[in-house]
Amino acid sequence: MEKGVQEQDNNSMQSSSTPTTNDDNLSQEQEDRSFLRERFLHFLKGVQGMRTHFRMYEKTEVVGMFQLSDVDVHHFLVSSLETPMGTQPQAMIRCDDIISCSMDLGTGESKM
């Protein structure tokens, strides 16, 4: 009878350690995501006001001054947007329409 109680105690100890491990993994994943999100937001702030070249679908290429992104990064606000149809003082570009964008970061490379 004592053997059964000991096995039950061992099983309860094992099951109680698993949630802690899962919670630790979840906590670390949240910290990692938070760190990466913060770095990305600092990057967006750092490139604000930079001349940016956007390559878009339908063989369209436009150039403008990058201003900001919405919170979900679905749209970019661009000023002085030079398009084939003329220059727009302000424009919102959908990120789904962008194939690539590049800007001169002063490193000799211009791909973002």
Side-chain angles (χ1 to χ4, degrees):
M1 181 166 161
E2 197 166 305
K3 183 179 177 186
V5 171
Q6 188 178 17
E7 285 178 14
Q8 188 177 15
D9 287 343
N10 286 341
N11 288 340
S12 66
M13 287 176 62
Q14 288 175 355
S15 65
S16 68
S17 67
T18 303
T20 304
T21 304
N22 289 340
D23 290 344
D24 290 343
N25 289 340
L26 182 60
S27 177
Q28 182 61 46
E29 184 177 327
Q30 288 174 336
E31 285 180 33
D32 292 345
R33 286 177 183 260
S34 175
F35 173 75
L36 293 173
R37 176 73 176 173
E38 186 176 347
R39 283 188 64 184
F40 178 68
L41 294 173
H42 282 290
F43 168 77
L44 288 178
K45 185 176 180 183
V47 298
Q48 187 175 11
M50 287 192 168
R51 188 168 170 82
T52 306
H53 178 267
F54 296 94
R55 197 169 125 233
M56 305 174 79
Y57 290 101
E58 302 297 325
K59 299 180 183 178
T60 303
E61 297 192 21
V62 297
V63 178
M65 302 295 277
F66 181 87
Q67 295 302 321
L68 55 92
S69 168
D70 66 352
V71 77
D72 296 323
V73 193
H74 291 159
H75 299 89
F76 290 150
L77 177 65
V78 180
S79 62
S80 304
L81 184 67
E82 300 167 12
T83 72
M85 301 285 291
T87 301
Q88 299 296 317
Q90 297 282 333
M92 189 73 73
I93 299 176
R94 293 183 307 205
C95 292
D96 289 342
D97 294 336
I98 299 171
I99 296 172
S100 68
C101 60
S102 61
M103 57 188 67
D104 184 9
L105 299 175
T107 62
E109 294 186 31
S110 61
K111 277 289 181 194
M112 181 172 92

